[in-house]
Amino acid sequence: MAKPIEIAQVTYAAPDLKLMEKFMTDFGLSCVSNKDNVLYMRGSGEQHHIHVTHYAEKQRFIGASIEVSSQEDLIELAKLEGSSVMQPSRELGGGYEVVMTMPDGFEIKAIWGREKHTKATERSAFEFNNADHKPRLNECIRVKRQPCQAIKLGHFVLHVSNHDASVKWLEERFDLLHSDYFVPPGEDGPIIGTFLRFNHGAEKVDHHAILILQSDWVGVHHCSFEVIDLDAVMTAHDYLVDKGYQLECGVGRHMLGSQIFDYWKDPFGFRVEHYTDGDMLDHHAQPVKFNGTATETTQWGMAPGLEFFQ
């Protein structure tokens, strides 16, 4: 079983790479390369790229890549039924990959050895002066409405035709833990959604790296990028409003995971999220079942409409 380190990237296809580049730049990513019919975008963190778009006449979600801890992990994954051999990566940044396919056809790559960038985050998070603790002294916050830096790809969410089979497929390949569950509103079961986090033992990890949701419709629900703090979320929100992009839901705070969120649609209809202040868990955290309604998934702020979950 491979030890996952980080969600490295999500991969899409779209008919206009320049249009995608413009949106993702306004969303806070930077272009690594846009040639040979492939667009590579990076965040301000170390990953060589975190969002990839291949040119195609019709837009679609292709899959995601997960960085693993060692070349030995790739060798073990390559032995599993349906896996490719371990091979040099076909993408910029080099390294090695094993290509796998989930039951619904999503391409999942395990990667190792890819080049890293030097971190390029422009500022540290602002200290927050709350009623009990006021660490910011003789410093003022002065922010502009502008693109915030997307630091890393935090998670992605998939609608699948068979929840249990998809979760089992992922667990057979990667060392994962369950963080929380969705069950139908007002009921105790069955489980129709599972938040999965990486198992790093006593080390803190994000509440989830992957969310699997049972659905009549198969596809990606959204991908999500972490930003430095609340001011980054809010100033980017206003900037994207001014640019005329399509807001779907935000700003608000999730119930499960606690993230402050802001959801937008890219020019091809794919959801993308900015988030900050999510829960951090270790291996001691135990999952709970959430059986509330769609609006109850938001603690405060703009609640999602019913179509958000369809």
Side-chain angles (χ1 to χ4, degrees), residues 258-300:
S258 304
Q259 297 91 345
I260 296 174
F261 64 81
D262 197 28
Y263 289 92
W264 296 80
K265 289 286 188 70
D266 74 16
F268 307 100
F270 296 112
R271 291 184 186 90
V272 289
E273 177 191 17
H274 285 146
Y275 80 92
T276 192
D277 194 31
D279 292 337
M280 302 297 291
L281 309 179
D282 64 15
H283 62 292
H284 293 296
Q286 296 298 310
V288 299
K289 292 181 179 179
F290 177 82
N291 65 353
T293 64
T295 56
E296 291 173 333
T297 62
T298 299
Q299 298 188 59
W300 54 255

Side-chain angles (χ1 to χ4, degrees), residues 49-113:
H49 52 270
I50 58 177
H51 188 282
V52 176
T53 310
H54 293 262
Y55 173 78
E57 292 185 1
K58 185 177 180 180
Q59 62 261 36
R60 69 184 182 96
F61 175 73
I62 296 175
S65 298
I66 299 173
E67 182 183 1
V68 296
S69 63
S70 68
Q71 194 170 34
E72 287 71 27
D73 283 343
L74 293 185
I75 294 170
E76 289 301 313
L77 288 170
K79 296 176 182 177
L80 298 178
E81 182 179 355
S83 294
S84 75
V85 297
M86 184 180 70
Q87 58 197 4
S89 173
R90 296 165 287 176
E91 296 188 343
L92 295 183
Y96 294 87
E97 66 183 22
V98 170
V99 183
M100 301 162 284
T101 305
M102 289 186 65
D104 285 308
F106 304 118
E107 179 183 88
I108 301 295
K109 290 182 182 178
I111 68 167
W112 174 84

